[in-house]
Each structure stands twice: as C-alpha cells, then as structure tokens.
Amino acid sequence: MFDTLTESFRGAINKIRFHDDEKSLKKALEELKKALLKADVHYKAVKDLLKTVENETKAKGIGKESFLSALRQGLLEILQTSGSQGFVFASKPPTVVLMAGLQGSGKTTTTAKLASFLKTKGKKVLMAACDLQRLAAVEQLKQLSAQIEVDLYHEEESANPVQIAKNALHRANEGLYDVLLVDTAGRLAIDEALMQELKSVKEAIHPHEVFYVADSLSGQDGVRSAERFHQEMALSGVILSKFDGDSKGGVALSIAYQIGIPLRFIGSGEKIPDLDPFLPDRIVNRLMG
Ligand code: GDP
C-alpha cells in the first residue's frame, strides 16, 4: 500500500541536505516534485503542495525539520477535504447509500464489505442487487450475503433496476433496517446509458449518500472517471479499493484534491474484513515513514 509514493518520498527526503539556505530548499522541493509526479499525483495538486511547503518552510526558518512539518501539514490539508470520514448515519433510518463505480472497480465486493463493517457495529443492514448489467453480479451478491449473514433484496424476474431499488427501499422501511446499500450497475467505461440509469435510481430513492468506488490502480484515468461521476451524480464520498495492490498512492491525493469530496474508506484486500475508515493522519504517517 502506498509503496511507490512512500519509497519516492523517503528517497526525496533522504536526499535533502539542508544548509539553511534557499538553494537547498529549492533542491528539496525539486526532489519532492519528482517523487509526487512519479507517484501519479495530479500536477495541480503538486504545484499547490510545493507552494505551501515552500512558504511554510520559509516562515518557520529553512531547515529539514520545518520542511518536513510543512510537508506533513500540506498533505493533511489535501486529504482532510471538507466533510466527514467513515460512515455517517441519517437522523432517521434507514440511511440509504447508493454505490456507484465502473465495472471491475470492486463495487459489489465493497458493498458487502461495508455491509459487514456496519453489521459489526450492531446495525441492521439490507443490501439491494440493482446491478443487472454484469450477469454474475446478483449471484455474487447472493453468495456474499449468505457469507456475511446480511439480508439481500433482489428480484429474479425484473430487469428494471429503478423499480428494484424502490422496492428495496420499501422493504428497508418496513423491516426497520438501519442501512440500505444499493449496488448499481457499472460499465467498463462511462457512457450516457449508465449515467441515465444511475440518475434514475438516485431520483427514485433519494439516497443520503452516493459513494463512488474507485480502483486505486487506475491512476489519472481513475481520477477523471471520478470527476465525471461527481459532475453527474453529486457524489458524497469515495471509497478507494485495491489499496493493497501495486498502487502508486497518488490517486488518493489526486481525488481528494481534484474533486474535493471526502475519502471515506479504503479497501485493502479481497476479503470481507479488508475495509477500513480512511484516516488522513494514518495515511500521512505511512507516507512519510
Ligand atoms: P464490480 O464489477 O465493481 O462490482 O467489481 P467486483 O466487486 O466484482 O470486484 C472486482 C475484483 O476486484 C474482484 O476480483 C474482487 O475480489 C477484487 N477486489 C475488490 N476490492 C479489492 C481490494 O480492496 N483489493 C483487492 N486486491 N482486490 C479487490
């Protein structure tokens, strides 16, 4: 997790030789810039971060300590985008969450992981199978539902995800569930039909949250897709999946910076317990070693 970013950060930090002068600060900033770009952090985020680090370091007096503390502060500011981390319950249950994302991003797995996470908090959770695009998705969710012992609403005959979502909400209300998690269709790439379907589901159930599951291996493409989903769907949070993979880590910084919506959870494995609330402090500590 974060290996590339961490390695290049440490490399950059180790290369820094401060002689309390502007020349060494310039060199340090140059190293930092290379490390961030290599880790797939968006260039605008890099530019802003460097400016902050430069100004703060100068204000505190040039030196390695002040440089590192300014860097820590800058990273935290990006990751602590406005809004909350983790899960927020609506004042009146059920809290309705629409799960969106591209096919293969890990959306269905993440829906089950989140359901299980909430179950361990003592919540009564209902999942709804509204991904009728990928043939195996409903079957996958059925198996996951049995495995984690969380209820699933699905319809064998219907081909109408909007109706299924509405019926699932009705079931969640009647059954006094605390949370309804709606798994929706993905596509390999964004298209009009996908967005229209998602918008119709959203209008039908008025979710409290729209979570976007982003594959952290997807680099700048992933950031662009998240941006497009946000424009169309007004996302309220991002869950980064596959953080255990060969991720360059920068996608976390880029999504937080570019889109300005909070990262809520990170998925770090294929298994159900591999989901943790996103904690900016912890990520920054890990990054800086
Ligand atoms: P969907 O098409 O978006 O619903 O994607 P799936 O939930 O079917 O996930 C696609 C693949 O990614 C599956 O093989 C999952 O096991 C895997 N996957 C999901 N989340 C993670 C994760 O956090 N780490 C790893 N390593 N694999 C994951």
Side-chain angles (χ1 to χ4, degrees), residues 101-110 113 131 134 137 140 183-184 213 240-245 266-271 274:
L102 289 175
Q103 196 169 307
S105 62
K107 184 171 43 58
T108 302
T109 313
T110 304
K113 284 179 177 179
D131 179 358
R134 190 162 60 85
Q140 186 185 352
D183 186 27
T184 61
V213 179
L240 278 179
S241 64
K242 307 185 194 177
F243 240 58
D244 50 311
I266 51 175
S268 53
E270 293 192 74
K271 300 212 172 63
D274 299 333

Side-chain angles (χ1 to χ4, degrees), residues 202 209-211 228-237 261:
K202 188 180 174 195
E209 304 269 21
V210 182
F211 283 173
R228 175 80 198 285
F229 266 83
H230 187 44
Q231 281 163 5
E232 301 272 355
M233 299 287 295
L235 306 174
S236 59
I261 48 173

Side-chain angles (χ1 to χ4, degrees), residues 79-200:
L79 292 176
Q80 282 166 339
T81 43
S82 57
S84 36
Q85 270 93 31
F87 198 87
V88 179
F89 294 95
S91 50
K92 186 173 165 285
T95 306
V96 179
V97 183
L98 193 146
M99 304 288 292
L102 289 175
Q103 196 169 307
S105 62
K107 184 171 43 58
T108 302
T109 313
T110 304
T111 302
K113 284 179 177 179
L114 189 54
S116 176
F117 172 86
L118 294 166
K119 188 187 165 198
T120 62
K121 304 251 170 268
K123 300 295 173 186
K124 188 179 177 192
V125 183
L126 179 66
M127 301 187 289
C130 296
D131 179 358
L132 307 182
Q133 232 11 264
R134 190 162 60 85
L135 286 176
V138 177
E139 196 48 45
Q140 186 185 352
L141 213 45
K142 273 194 212 168
Q143 284 173 13
L144 288 165
S145 143
Q147 184 190 334
I148 62 177
E149 297 179 347
V150 167
D151 293 342
L152 174 69
Y153 183 86
H154 67 98
E155 294 182 13
E156 295 294 340
E157 301 301 325
S158 173
N160 182 348
V162 177
Q163 196 55 47
I164 300 176
K166 270 190 191 167
N167 294 344
L169 178 57
H170 187 67
R171 169 73 60 85
N173 274 312
E174 279 202 324
L176 302 179
Y177 283 88
D178 296 306
V179 180
L180 170 65
L181 301 178
V182 181
D183 186 27
T184 61
R187 296 272 200 286
L188 290 173
I190 294 174
D191 62 41
E192 227 9 82
L194 166 72
M195 282 304 173
Q196 206 41 58
E197 177 177 322
L198 292 178
K199 279 183 188 169
S200 305

